[in-house]
Amino acid sequence: MASTSNPDTHESPQKSVYKDPDDGRQRFLLELEFVQCLANPTYIHYLAQNRYFEDEAFIGYLKYLQYWQRPEYIKFIMYPHCLFFLELLQNPTFRNAMAHPANKEVAHRQQFYFWKNYRNNRLKHILPRPLPEPATAPSSAPPASLPSSVAPPAAPPPAPTPVTAAALSPMQYAIPPGSGLAKTDPRNASVDRRKRNRKDG
């Protein structure tokens, strides 16, 4: 007698749920690394050149990665520009524009200028400006004369104001102000050369 299987008598197998062996640590690290790679305009250009931005699944992945902007995840980001570029990559116009090398260079240059001037620009808005000192009229009474054997104490050098001391750029330490070394600017030299050629010729 052949047994026929009745679907009502057998229990359906339970759906197996995938369980990460490391509780998602590997996935977390991979996504963190990928998101931080987006801080590099050259990498974004590479993705655009290889047509990753034409794949709807990849665009969906970029939308999914926006969870890195939440406070519980943002504390792990070391390169905050990646979040700015991740936001820009949600725009199809930006994705298409990054396929062109000139746009990659513009993004890279703007990123460099931001890094170069970030500290100084931030300090301008954070540090309080010193109050202007009131002008005092010189006193008309002569100072009391000191015995000739006692020299007057030397006045301490004026302390730099907190704004000027803290606002110095790292580049300003290379050549001290007022030094005899001239700053060379190749742009100015070429302009002068062209002017001389026009006058001579």
Side-chain angles (χ1 to χ4, degrees), residues 15-82:
K15 294 181 181 178
S16 61
V17 178
Y18 177 74
K19 176 77 172 129
D20 280 335
D22 59 355
D23 293 327
R25 179 174 168 74
Q26 186 69 25
R27 177 179 173 188
F28 174 83
L29 292 175
L30 287 173
E31 289 178 359
L32 175 63
E33 182 178 0
F34 176 75
V35 166
Q36 292 194 108
C37 284
L38 295 178
N40 185 349
T42 305
Y43 182 64
I44 296 173
H45 174 70
Y46 167 82
L47 293 174
Q49 285 286 314
N50 290 303
R51 301 176 185 228
Y52 281 90
F53 297 143
E54 294 175 6
D55 184 10
E56 290 298 321
F58 189 77
I59 293 171
Y61 183 63
L62 291 174
K63 287 180 184 176
Y64 158 76
L65 289 175
Q66 287 186 307
Y67 75 88
W68 283 98
Q69 296 176 345
R70 295 197 308 233
E72 61 267 23
Y73 294 101
I74 202 168
K75 63 185 176 184
F76 298 104
I77 300 286
M78 292 179 60
Y79 307 105
H81 275 200
C82 67

Side-chain angles (χ1 to χ4, degrees), residues 102-145:
N103 293 333
K104 173 197 69 152
E105 290 300 323
V106 167
H108 192 272
R109 195 174 318 119
Q110 291 301 316
Q111 188 179 42
F112 169 74
Y113 290 141
F114 178 84
W115 286 335
K116 178 181 173 190
N117 300 313
Y118 175 74
R119 181 176 179 267
N120 288 340
N121 291 339
R122 188 166 178 238
L123 289 176
K124 285 179 190 175
H125 301 291
I126 291 177
L127 293 177
R129 296 177 189 251
L131 296 174
E133 295 182 15
T136 58
S139 61
S140 59
S145 61

